Amino acid sequence: MNNNIKKRLGAFRTIHIHALAALITLGTVTTSCESLDLGNQSELSESNLPQSDADAKALVNAVYASDIELATTYMYLIDLTTETTVSGENPNGGGGMLGLLSWDGTNSYLVRLWAAVYTSVARANDVIAKLEQNPAGVSPKVAAQVIGEAKFLRAYYLNYAVQIWGPVPIVTKVGEGNNAIRNSETEVFQQVVNDLEDAAELLPSVKEYGQSDIGRATRGAALAALAKTYLVWAQVDDDLTDAQRKEYFSKSVQYAQQVIDSGEYELEEDFYDNWNNNNRNGKESIFAIQFYKGSSTREGDASGNNHLCHCSFSTSYSVALPHIAPGPDNTVENSYLKGDQRKEVSFVDSLWRPSTQSYFHFYYDADGDKIRESGFSRYNKYIDHDSPETSAADRAMNRQVLRLAEVYLILAEAINERDHQPNQEAYDAFNKVRRRAFRENIYATTPQAHDLKTGLDYKGFLDAIIQERSWEFTLEQKHLLDLKRWKILVKTIKNSPLAKKYPEYNKQTIDFKHYRFPIPQAQREVNPNLWQNYGYDGSTITANPYVGRE
């Protein structure tokens, strides 16, 4: 067995299996991947073929690795840049600039994501190439699974890339990448779909995995990702025909229904159980990034390194503004209907402090006039309630990526888009999520008190979806991408209370150029084929391509 594989496999046996990606350090990501010249990326993994099933699994673990360090990156790019979230970071730093909508092609988080995407894609390509050679020591079953994992993950990273930047290079072979061009959105989404469809054929179901493989991609994850990808593709790709859009909405419905009909997933009755460390990878979770003590890819960091935990609670029991906070207007928190359990799980004004045996108030009425004027609420989903005193330092909570609740809402939305009106199936899917929120009978055949009332037209049902996703997926790295695909980004942020009442957060500067982020400048200096997106320094696009979008 190759010595490097031996080292990786040894780490795999020593570290808890759920760490998965802790086997390869990412210290080289931001330096060795400054350009898209991937000619030597096969050096990221051994030239020798894997010689056993364990070798093969160890090889694909490296493809998971980038995501261990990207929790903050996703949150800053997809949550902080919207009307729901503000930052307590240095306004001149990468995160602070994203919060103030003042990013450019040198932003550290954009640079980091690009590097992580294409390092991970290169690793996935290497895994696929090696396993497709049918190495003698690897069983056909494990070879198929590992190829499925690699294709799922290649699609996973490219899916983020196309939604962040629009057209991006497609690299599917080891050694490709020199002077790569930006492929069209149509081509990128097609590649994502091809990989996910292959993955769905190759991957085991969640029930076929043993305890030691929890956290790996599954057939259900591939099907759920297909449902979402087809929905988003049909909404954002301006080059599609109306017939193609309808076909893709139909495919979204088809794949969402397959996930539901599999019977492998159920909604958690208690919404909090999706973040409860005593219920990791529970019955609602379809794909989650695993964070356990020791799972960080940073040398010497045993904290778990899900920075969502740190950023949500960086100032701990203090009224000082943490790295991220809901903002002074509390628009989303105040919009929940009475009795919705999602409110107290997503936000917290006061938190029990074990060391003082009392509640600490982050956001309160200081003078008794019933106006809360002190501090900010906190995002509660990523505060570890088992150890709140050290939650900011012990960052070992999973990051939820795909949950069954989203599959139900995808199904409802895709039906509405396909037929340009909801049907009973769409209402039924929507209402399962709504019923769970109010602790009603999820699967009742009779109407429940908080069911969405029937009789809505296309626009009315879409508005209900928009609101429900806001309540359901607070701080789950979906909001900016939702606003973009619904084509309501600029008007939503510009008309928000945060933009209108609090100019210090700069949200009123939202513009149509923000539909895409800039290509990192360092990439463009290396590769002149990477043209810049509209509105950013170096772009040659003079006409606003988003005219009429909203």
Side-chain angles (χ1 to χ4, degrees):
M1 186 186 302
N2 181 286
N3 284 336
N4 287 333
I5 290 185
K6 283 183 179 179
K7 291 178 183 178
R8 215 182 296 173
L9 184 55
F12 190 79
R13 288 170 174 158
T14 302
I15 298 173
H16 196 291
I17 181 68
H18 293 86
L20 284 177
L23 310 172
I24 298 262
T25 62
L26 279 183
T28 59
V29 167
T30 56
T31 56
S32 66
C33 200
E34 284 301 320
S35 77
L36 195 57
D37 181 355
L38 302 179
N40 65 345
Q41 290 296 298
S42 61
E43 294 174 9
L44 288 168
S45 44
E46 293 72 23
S47 58
N48 294 346
L49 296 179
Q51 298 173 26
S52 68
D53 287 353
D55 283 357
K57 288 184 178 182
L59 196 62
V60 76
N61 291 337
V63 192
Y64 290 88
S66 295
D67 233 53
I68 294 294
E69 304 298 338
L70 289 178
T72 297
T73 298
Y74 293 132
M75 184 272 295
Y76 278 179
L77 292 174
I78 300 171
D79 293 308
L80 181 56
T81 52
T82 73
E83 82 289 2
T84 63
T85 308
V86 298
S87 174
E89 287 205 356
N90 179 346
N92 296 315
M97 288 183 173
L98 288 169
L100 296 171
L101 307 188
S102 59
W103 59 78
D104 61 21
T106 65
N107 186 276
S108 60
Y109 289 96
L110 288 169
V111 170
R112 180 176 300 142
L113 182 60
W114 184 281
V117 164
Y118 285 101
T119 295
S120 300
V121 166
R123 288 171 172 165
N125 293 342
D126 186 75
V127 171
I128 294 165
K130 283 182 168 60
L131 270 299
E132 286 182 342
Q133 294 181 52
N134 298 314
V138 181
S139 68
K141 180 180 178 181
V142 169
Q145 173 195 314
V146 168
I147 291 172
E149 288 183 79
K151 290 195 173 188
F152 174 89
L153 291 167
R154 185 166 67 184
Y156 171 84
Y157 291 110
L158 279 178
N159 213 338
Y160 273 118
V162 72
Q163 292 183 77
I164 292 292
W165 289 293
V168 291
I170 297 172
V171 182
T172 59
K173 301 293 183 184
V174 173
E176 287 183 351
N178 289 331
N179 297 315
I181 63 168
R182 295 180 64 181
N183 293 90
S184 70
E185 285 180 299
T186 304
E187 292 169 322
V188 179
F189 276 115
Q190 186 64 65
Q191 180 62 48
V192 169
V193 162
N194 291 346
D195 277 345
L196 290 175
E197 288 179 338
D198 286 349
E201 291 292 327
L202 294 167
L203 288 171
S205 71
V206 65
K207 293 180 179 179
E208 293 177 272
Y209 272 133
Q211 185 66 27
S212 64
D213 282 322
I214 289 176
R216 295 187 183 277
T218 63
R219 180 182 301 127
L223 293 172
L226 277 164
K228 186 168 185 179
T229 299
Y230 270 118
L231 174 66
V232 173
W233 185 6
Q235 291 170 322
V236 305
D237 187 349
D238 294 334
D239 292 333
L240 298 179
T241 65
D242 288 344
Q244 286 175 311
R245 293 183 203 284
K246 186 165 185 175
E247 176 190 354
Y248 294 168
F249 289 135
S250 294
K251 285 181 178 290
S252 177
V253 171
Q254 167 195 331
Y255 284 119
Q257 196 63 59
Q258 283 188 45
V259 176
I260 294 165
D261 290 345
S262 73
E264 294 172 350
Y265 309 97
E266 298 178 63
L267 294 177
E268 300 281 2
E269 292 79 10
D270 190 335
F271 187 63
Y272 171 66
D273 277 344
N274 287 300
W275 295 271
N276 184 346
N277 264 354
N278 295 313
N279 189 55
R280 283 178 179 268
N281 304 294
K283 61 185 180 181
E284 185 172 334
S285 180
I286 298 175
F287 186 67
I289 305 304
Q290 311 291 306
F291 292 93
Y292 283 78
K293 293 293 182 66
S295 66
S296 173
T297 62
R298 296 181 183 179
E299 185 176 354
D301 186 351
S303 66
N305 217 32
N306 182 352
H307 256 66
L308 292 173
C309 303
H310 175 72
C311 294
S312 298
F313 207 44
S314 58
T315 53
S316 190
Y317 289 93
S318 164
V319 296
L321 187 63
H323 291 308
I324 55 166
D329 61 300
N330 274 355
T331 299
V332 179
E333 182 180 359
N334 294 335
S335 70
Y336 283 90
L337 303 177
K338 185 178 180 180
D340 190 334
Q341 64 168 309
R342 295 173 296 190
K343 177 178 179 178
E344 64 182 23
V345 174
S346 301
F347 301 92
V348 63
D349 294 343
S350 301
L351 187 66
W352 180 257
R353 187 168 194 178
S355 63
T356 62
Q357 289 294 290
S358 63
Y359 280 96
F360 185 92
H361 302 284
F362 301 105
Y363 187 53
Y364 60 98
D365 176 6
D367 56 13
D369 64 357
K370 297 184 179 180
I371 299 175
R372 293 179 171 182
E373 65 279 321
S374 299
F376 288 75
S377 295
R378 296 292 187 269
Y379 286 116
N380 197 28
K381 282 180 177 175
Y382 286 104
I383 296 177
D384 187 347
H385 288 251
D386 290 332
S387 55
E389 297 277 3
T390 60
S391 180
D394 297 335
R395 304 181 293 274
M397 295 176 66
N398 286 358
R399 182 176 81 89
Q400 292 290 348
V401 177
L402 285 167
R403 299 191 278 114
L404 182 61
E406 185 166 21
V407 176
Y408 277 122
L409 292 180
I410 288 169
L411 175 63
E413 184 178 352
I415 290 171
N416 191 49
E417 295 288 346
R418 180 194 66 192
D419 301 341
H420 215 67
Q421 63 181 15
N423 59 17
Q424 189 59 51
E425 185 182 6
Y427 279 104
D428 289 345
F430 182 101
N431 284 331
K432 284 182 174 62
V433 177
R434 175 66 66 85
R435 289 172 179 180
R436 189 268 297 281
F438 292 93
R439 301 183 185 277
E440 295 169 346
N441 187 337
I442 296 171
Y443 303 103
T445 57
T446 56
Q448 301 293 292
H450 291 88
D451 283 358
L452 185 65
K453 304 307 179 185
T454 57
L456 295 175
D457 61 8
Y458 164 81
K459 179 63 164 55
F461 194 80
L462 177 58
D463 287 344
I465 290 282
I466 291 171
Q467 179 63 82
E468 203 69 25
R469 287 185 65 91
S470 174
W471 289 332
E472 181 74 21
F473 301 118
T474 294
L475 203 69
E476 292 189 48
Q477 296 75 65
K478 302 180 191 296
H479 189 50
L480 178 77
L481 305 183
D482 280 347
L483 296 179
K484 289 169 62 174
R485 68 188 178 85
W486 291 324
K487 298 179 174 60
I488 59 172
L489 172 69
V490 175
K491 65 182 180 183
T492 297
I493 296 179
K494 193 175 286 290
N495 293 328
S496 68
L498 186 61
K500 290 182 175 182
K501 297 179 182 179
Y502 301 93
E504 62 267 33
Y505 297 111
N506 216 38
K507 303 292 187 178
Q508 72 277 9
T509 63
I510 188 72
D511 195 4
F512 283 96
K513 76 173 186 178
H514 293 128
Y515 266 91
R516 289 177 181 167
F517 287 92
I519 301 295
Q521 183 58 34
Q523 300 294 327
R524 298 189 63 249
E525 290 172 359
V526 172
N527 180 2
N529 288 332
L530 298 177
W531 48 270
Q532 186 58 279
N533 285 331
Y534 166 78
Y536 298 104
D537 287 346
S539 176
T540 59
I541 304 171
T542 56
N544 183 352
Y546 312 113
V547 169
R549 178 157 292 211
E550 298 186 13

